[in-house]
Amino acid sequence: MRHFAIVGSGPAGFYTAEALAKAYGDNARIDILDRYPVPYGLIRFGVAPDHQSLKAVSKRYDQVAEGGTVEFVGNVAVGSDVSADELRDFYDAVILAIGAPHDRKLGIPGEDLPGVIGSAEFVGWYNGHPDFADLNPSLDGAHAAVIGNGNVALDCARILAKNHHEFEGSDIVGHALDALDGSGIQTVTILGRRGPHQISMTPKELGEFGHLEVATPVVEGADFPPAEADEALEPGHRKSITILRDFAAHGPDPSKPRRIVFDFFARPLRIEGDGKAERLIVERTVLDDSGSAKGTGEAYEVPASLIITSIGYQTPRIDGVPYDERGGKFANDGGKIADGLYAVGWARRGPTGTIGTNRPDGYEVAEQIAAAMPPGSEGGKAGAKGLSAMLAERGVNATCFDDWRKIEASEVAAARPGSPREKLVRHEDWLKVLGH
Ligand code: NAP
């Protein structure tokens, strides 16, 4: 019998559990730990609430959790309730799948002014993450800016641009929907420090901006290289550029009151305002020979009382686990950190790729584990029994998958009309449902 602990119940954690369960069958017990009693990490707290089809992947994770060899151990924070070293004493292998939930900082003056928030905070707020329930983003002004040219920047801009009706069928939390209903924002400027060819936005996500009810994209044709340059692009990327070119060619739809302005070759220099963000000072850039942004010295201002930085994420540290400072992830070699200690997903690779990218990633690490400790072999570790005894001693109330089902049922029962659920957004509310 082998005992495995996976820390983090998002996609990377569940794909790894699925792979280990397939490799070991009844010869393993796999515990998926999470600091919250609600599973699925990025699926619940990161994927946009109006992208329900992406969230449906959690049904596959349900099957893994109900398969017999995998247990969900919620409400246990690794690092405070139990250390990584203690887990390694109990389990044959510990796999860190904690994602990259922290915002990278821009490092420019004014970044700490009220009104400036990271995309992890904003996304967490509209997705019901307990840490951001009280974020209260500044929605009173007419102008917002989103810094970054990736898909998360698009998510943030789209959520700001939609009207109430467009959230039908989504699971956006009630507090966010109410606040957005009262939003005064009419212009969202998305700033990229490089040009259209250098975006990290995918076609489906960009295409949605052509179908918004009350908002219209604004793109400058002059920002593009000659059309022939698109031929060298990878097909998916070329499609994204074609969509942007179409937006530029058609011009903004004058019947729509809100505008999403794509401001390319724009590098943020500083944020200014009287006690709160009022404007972003930006330098116009050009591409240098290596394709990096080079400042031209020409500066201008973009009005914005809400500024969302969306420039990538990093993995938080866990005591005793080596960390790769530059990569913002655990130091690892193909997923292996040390004997019996592995990382998967964004904690392994850094914050890139889609949900599906985590599947081969998790399977690959499971293969390494199966090679190091072949199915059928014995490890002699205490596993869940050892962990439960320690948690009980420390007064930590671990929760199980059935507990999650109770929380889920109460969220479904509380759903607003047209929404699949009304998420509970505070830790104490989750525990209240469980009678803790
Ligand atoms: P991302 O795709 O890596 O984009 C980060 C953006 O930030 C880039 O445009 C980058 O520009 C810019 N940036 C970085 N440092 C900057 C700085 N100092 N100043 C200005 N701009 C800066 O990251 P992401 O948007 O957070 O997305 C993370 C991953 O999740 C991606 O793989 C994404 O595709 C995925 N995702 C997918 C979906 C979906 O499929 N619907 C939704 C959300 C996220 P440079 O290129 O110039 O560095």
Side-chain angles (χ1 to χ4, degrees):
M1 186 70 168
R2 290 288 182 173
H3 298 273
F4 301 122
I6 296 172
V7 183
S9 67
F14 265 97
Y15 286 122
T16 309
E18 182 185 271
L20 286 171
K22 276 189 191 162
Y24 284 84
D26 292 340
N27 291 316
R29 151 91 189 237
I30 302 154
D31 292 331
I32 303 185
L33 281 68
D34 202 294
R35 64 166 61 241
Y36 303 122
V38 294
Y40 306 140
L42 182 92
I43 303 296
R44 181 180 173 100
F45 296 125
V47 172
D50 55 345
H51 283 169
Q52 286 295 306
S53 57
L54 286 179
K55 294 198 175 210
V57 71
S58 66
K59 291 199 172 56
R60 176 174 177 156
Y61 308 155
D62 286 348
Q63 287 169 7
V64 174
E66 286 161 352
T69 39
V70 175
E71 296 288 337
F72 176 65
V73 184
N75 204 35
V76 176
V78 173
S80 49
D81 292 331
V82 57
S83 73
D85 285 343
E86 287 166 338
L87 271 188
R88 291 176 75 188
D89 285 342
F90 293 135
Y91 290 90
D92 292 297
V94 173
I95 301 108
L96 302 175
I98 63 170
H102 291 181
D103 286 298
R104 278 184 185 278
K105 296 293 262 182
L106 260 178
I108 60 170
E111 195 172 3
D112 294 327
L113 281 172
V116 186
I117 55 178
S119 55
E121 298 175 277
F122 186 60
V123 169
W125 171 74
Y126 63 63
N127 267 330
H129 192 295
D131 289 354
F132 309 114
D134 299 315
L135 184 72
N136 241 333
S138 155
L139 300 172
D140 295 340
H143 298 274
V146 182
I147 299 169
N149 266 183
N151 279 331
V152 175
L154 289 184
D155 280 347
C156 294
R158 189 181 69 255
I159 296 294
L160 287 170
K162 281 192 167 182
N163 66 10
H164 186 98
H165 168 65
E166 291 172 286
F167 287 109
E168 251 170 49
S170 81
D171 65 347
I172 189 166
V173 288
H175 68 220
L177 187 58
D178 294 342
L180 289 164
D181 276 348
S183 166
I185 291 170
Q186 294 296 308
T187 305
V188 182
T189 305
I190 302 177
L191 295 112
R193 61 181 170 182
R194 299 190 289 157
H197 267 204
Q198 286 74 38
I199 57 168
S200 302
M201 301 161 169
T202 45
K204 184 181 157 293
E205 284 61 34
L206 257 180
E208 288 177 68
F209 284 79
H211 306 285
L212 294 173
E213 281 187 19
V214 290
T216 181
V218 182
V219 178
E220 279 296 332
D223 285 336
F224 291 81
E228 307 82 75
D230 294 4
E231 284 163 24
L233 300 174
E234 174 275 318
H237 196 52
R238 193 184 318 137
K239 212 166 164 187
S240 292
I241 311 307
T242 305
I243 291 167
L244 278 175
R245 284 192 191 275
D246 280 351
F247 290 162
H250 288 109
D253 179 343
S255 69
K256 297 184 178 174
R258 295 185 184 167
R259 295 180 154 231
I260 316 288
V261 179
F262 288 80
D263 192 358
F264 294 110
F265 300 108
R267 175 161 69 192
L269 291 178
R270 62 185 180 278
I271 294 162
E272 293 180 347
D274 189 5
K276 58 183 173 34
E278 290 173 6
R279 70 195 81 84
L280 186 59
I281 308 300
V282 176
E283 181 181 25
R284 188 57 75 211
T285 64
V286 290
L287 293 181
D288 68 13
D289 291 343
S290 68
S292 299
K294 185 174 80 173
T296 60
E298 178 199 341
Y300 59 101
E301 65 177 62
V302 175
S305 46
L306 171 66
I307 298 176
I308 302 172
T309 60
S310 181
I311 60 166
Y313 296 131
Q314 51 198 7
T315 297
R317 293 162 187 280
I318 294 181
D319 271 353
V321 181
Y323 195 78
D324 167 0
E325 192 72 47
R326 254 180 84 90
K329 57 185 178 162
F330 294 122
N332 72 89
D333 182 7
K336 183 171 174 178
I337 300 172
D339 282 345
L341 184 63
Y342 299 83
V344 290
W346 283 4
R348 166 190 175 177
R349 308 187 311 271
T352 57
T354 62
I355 292 163
T357 316
N358 294 300
R359 189 174 179 277
D361 188 312
Y363 271 72
E364 196 195 315
V365 165
E367 268 173 36
Q368 289 184 44
I369 294 171
M373 37 194 102
S377 64
E378 287 294 326
K381 298 266 187 170
K385 271 194 193 146
L387 176 64
S388 307
M390 177 182 274
L391 293 175
E393 215 171 87
R394 293 178 180 175
V396 179
N397 260 327
T399 64
C400 63
F401 197 71
D402 283 348
D403 290 331
W404 151 239
R405 288 302 202 194
K406 279 184 209 154
I407 294 171
E408 186 181 39
S410 78
E411 292 187 337
V412 171
R416 294 183 178 205
S419 169
R421 69 181 71 224
E422 180 60 50
K423 285 179 182 164
L424 295 172
V425 301
R426 291 182 197 275
H427 211 128
E428 60 266 29
D429 292 338
W430 294 326
L431 298 183
K432 215 182 283 166
V433 172
L434 305 178
H436 292 192

